[in-house]
Amino acid sequence: PDVPGPLGGAFAATLAAWDWDVALLQEVPPWWPPQLARACGARAFTAPTSRGQALPAARVLAARRPDLVKSWGGGANAILLRGAGATAHVRLRLRLTPERRVLHAVRRDDGVWLANLHASAHDARRAQADLERASAALRRWAGDEPVVFGGDLNTRTPVVPGFAHAGGHVLDHVFMRGLELAEPAVTLPRAGLSDHVPVLATLRRP
């Protein structure tokens, strides 16, 4: 996979090997999503978030010492879409302080909306406020169409008005509307590539 650095190459290879239609990624280096998409046979849709002030220096350092750069090499969330086209990609900035948080969503060509969020950290009330604003925006964007909504929601007890919980692990959760679980959600091995455990949810139309 053509993703620079040992961490990028290992991340791309692991992601490409898993069986998924949609991947929701948070806090990734903003130069990764197009390369990850190529490695996975997918299309990438990104939303710039925080910590993008020193990207040229961060990019050089992140390729060599990702443990040192940590999320300062981040600055983007991404939706990777396999095997389908998209008819819309929309974004909503939820807040600027203490860090910029952005909801973004893609409408797949079968009418299913796929939404991604990295909610505010270190404050469960602020994270919940992000979720309530995100829920309202998704209901407005999607109308009556089905929605999958997930990400690093930064609360162990997230509530998304109008949505059902599909599965999660600690701070990372998937919610759904107009869909149902085809099988229970599971976690996947992270192989030292992230400080979060990936969550896999298999959904279907009723």
Side-chain angles (χ1 to χ4, degrees):
D2 185 24
V3 183
L7 178 64
F11 193 101
T14 299
L15 190 61
W18 288 334
D19 183 17
W20 50 267
D21 298 311
V22 179
L24 307 177
L25 309 178
Q26 301 83 43
E27 207 174 34
V28 296
W31 55 90
W32 274 22
Q35 298 164 332
L36 290 174
R38 285 195 295 272
C40 296
R43 298 179 63 191
F45 302 86
T46 62
T49 54
S50 58
R51 300 177 177 175
Q53 300 93 330
L55 280 181
R59 179 168 184 168
V60 172
L61 189 55
R64 295 170 172 80
R65 291 292 305 278
D67 56 324
L68 180 61
V69 176
K70 297 183 178 178
S71 58
W72 286 93
N77 294 340
I79 299 171
L80 303 185
L81 181 61
R82 270 178 172 166
T87 61
H89 180 212
V90 289
R91 302 185 184 103
L92 173 66
R93 187 183 70 202
L94 299 177
R95 65 176 70 248
L96 279 173
T97 59
E99 288 190 322
R100 188 172 187 263
R101 300 297 175 180
V102 177
L103 168 72
H104 71 132
V106 170
R107 183 187 186 274
R108 205 165 59 183
D109 54 15
D110 64 355
V112 176
W113 286 76
L114 312 159
N116 188 25
L117 174 65
H118 182 201
S120 296
H122 314 303
D123 187 326
R125 288 178 298 179
R126 188 179 289 134
Q128 183 57 46
D130 290 348
L131 294 180
E132 290 170 7
R133 287 197 64 198
S135 170
L138 289 171
R139 294 196 304 271
R140 184 170 66 251
W141 293 340
D144 294 330
E145 294 181 316
V147 183
V148 179
F149 171 48
D152 177 358
L153 304 187
N154 269 318
T155 171
R156 293 172 181 265
T157 56
V159 176
V160 183
F163 288 72
H165 190 241
H169 180 269
V170 190
L171 303 179
D172 303 289
H173 297 269
V174 179
F175 283 81
M176 58 189 175
R177 192 195 70 171
L179 300 164
E180 64 184 17
L181 278 172
E183 53 190 71
V186 298
T187 57
L188 300 171
R190 55 184 167 178
L193 298 174
S194 173
D195 57 349
H196 289 248
V197 176
V199 176
L200 175 66
T202 304
L203 310 180
R204 65 189 177 197
R205 292 178 184 266

